[in-house]
Amino acid sequence: GRAGLPPIAGTRPRRLSGMLAALLDAARRLCTSERAFPYWALGVWAADAALTALIVRRVPFTNIDYEAYIMQVDAVASGVRDYSALRGP
């Protein structure tokens, strides 16, 4: 405060809104900076890899999924190009 005096009413929200505006401005500059792009790309790649690893670990494999995939691959390999004509097991 001012030499032991209580804060003036309304000063804290204004200071907080100024800090918030500065934070949002910094975030906007970071998101649109060409220099920051490699870091964003690396972060997105790492997040994707982590999420993929988590899904592979946690979601159980089913044989039905594999059979449906193989049937669709066989249909496409035999010339079927209409997706609506593909059928599962």
Side-chain angles (χ1 to χ4, degrees):
R2 300 164 301 162
L5 296 175
I8 299 171
T11 57
R12 186 166 180 88
R14 196 173 305 136
R15 193 174 336 153
L16 184 60
S17 68
M19 289 172 49
L20 181 60
L23 182 63
L24 290 174
D25 185 55
R28 180 190 55 79
R29 282 185 281 120
L30 181 64
C31 290
T32 58
S33 167
E34 287 185 25
R35 284 188 357 202
F37 175 77
Y39 301 107
W40 278 109
L42 182 62
V44 168
W45 176 81
D48 178 63
L51 184 59
T52 299
L54 182 68
I55 290 170
V56 166
R57 244 187 193 178
R58 299 287 182 192
V59 176
F61 170 81
T62 64
N63 197 36
I64 295 171
D65 295 336
Y66 181 74
E67 290 174 13
Y69 171 73
I70 293 300
M71 289 178 73
Q72 291 177 358
V73 168
D74 288 341
V76 170
S78 67
V80 176
R81 298 292 184 254
D82 180 9
Y83 190 79
S84 65
L86 298 177
R87 300 285 178 241

